[in-house]
Amino acid sequence: AQSVTQLDSHVSVSEGTPVLLRCNYSSSYSPSLFWYVQHPNKGLQLLLKYTSAATLVKGINGFEAEFKKSETSFHLTKPSAHMSDAAEYFCVVSPYTDKLIFGTGTRLQVFP
Amino acid sequence: SQTIHQWPATLVQPVGSPLSLECTVEGTSNPNLYWYRQAAGRGLQLLFYSVGIGQISSEVPQNLSASRPQDRQFILSSKKLLLSDSGFYLCAWRGGPGEQFFGPGTRLTVL
């Protein structure tokens, strides 16, 4: 069975400092992996996706993630946090093209 | 462009009352549609998905049901709400492979 584990439930950073949100996956074959963002009381928005092309994936709003098969990781990073980045972030694996399996989420706080 | 609507945005219902949440999609035809529930501090749990009119697959046993009376309409229902039904309900449609687009959600509080 496929699954994802988000290693931190909360991450706090200062504005202008780097962001690292960690995700490990479990899969018996090469997975499709995604990061979604959810702002308070809003729906989810796709940040980026990995589908076995380039291992470094660039997304919207300056975020990127690197697929590392040897470490079974798909960590989300951003060089410089902005106040508007404060939200909940979900790492997601897709075992089939029709279904998504969500991690439990990481809440990112950005302090001025 | 495609848009997805959900209503109501918020709902407070007593235990034992019925429920009907509606989701409609514009700008696409024959979409795959999904209902998720997000409980406080937890990830999203897939409740139902539909590949067409009248075709519903249930992912978890519960007192909720779903229906798809029209191509772009997806309804989540319950005959009698439980306290545990409280949560944030999200509707989504399938875009590209493995990619889904979410509605704004309905926050349901059962008292």
Side-chain angles (χ1 to χ4, degrees), chain A residues 38-74:
Chain A
Q38 183 181 31
H39 290 276
N41 294 310
K42 302 287 187 183
L44 279 73
Q45 180 185 19
L46 180 66
L47 267 182
L48 51 82
K49 62 181 177 180
Y50 165 77
T51 54
S52 74
T55 55
L56 182 62
V57 182
K58 293 188 183 297
I60 61 173
N61 301 333
F63 284 94
E64 61 182 37
E66 186 172 6
F67 174 74
K68 291 187 176 180
K69 186 174 181 179
S70 60
E71 300 177 10
T72 62
S73 69
F74 190 58

Side-chain angles (χ1 to χ4, degrees), chain B residues 13-92:
Chain B
Q13 293 284 95
V15 169
S17 63
L19 173 74
S20 181
L21 303 181
E22 190 164 344
C23 169
T24 59
V25 182
E26 296 177 0
T28 185
S29 60
N30 196 31
N32 286 7
L33 296 173
Y34 307 81
W35 276 113
Y36 291 88
R37 177 171 58 206
Q38 184 179 25
R42 301 179 66 179
L44 274 71
Q45 179 186 37
L46 178 63
L47 302 175
F48 301 95
Y49 72 96
S50 171
V51 300
I53 295 174
Q55 300 179 66
I56 308 293
S57 295
S58 174
E59 289 295 299
V60 293
Q62 60 207 319
N63 71 321
L64 299 171
S65 62
S67 62
R68 188 163 174 181
Q70 300 180 41
D71 181 44
R72 285 170 281 182
Q73 184 184 32
F74 202 23
I75 297 173
L76 183 70
S77 304
S78 174
K79 293 181 179 178
K80 289 186 177 182
L81 283 169
L82 307 173
L83 286 174
S84 57
D85 292 324
S86 293
F88 193 48
Y89 287 82
L90 289 157
C91 181

Side-chain angles (χ1 to χ4, degrees), chain A residues 34 36 38 49 98-100, chain B residues 34 38 59 94 98-99:
Chain A
F34 308 80
Y36 281 81
Q38 183 181 31
K49 62 181 177 180
D98 281 349
K99 295 186 181 181
L100 303 179
Chain B
Y34 307 81
Q38 184 179 25
E59 289 295 299
R94 178 177 180 259
E99 187 173 341

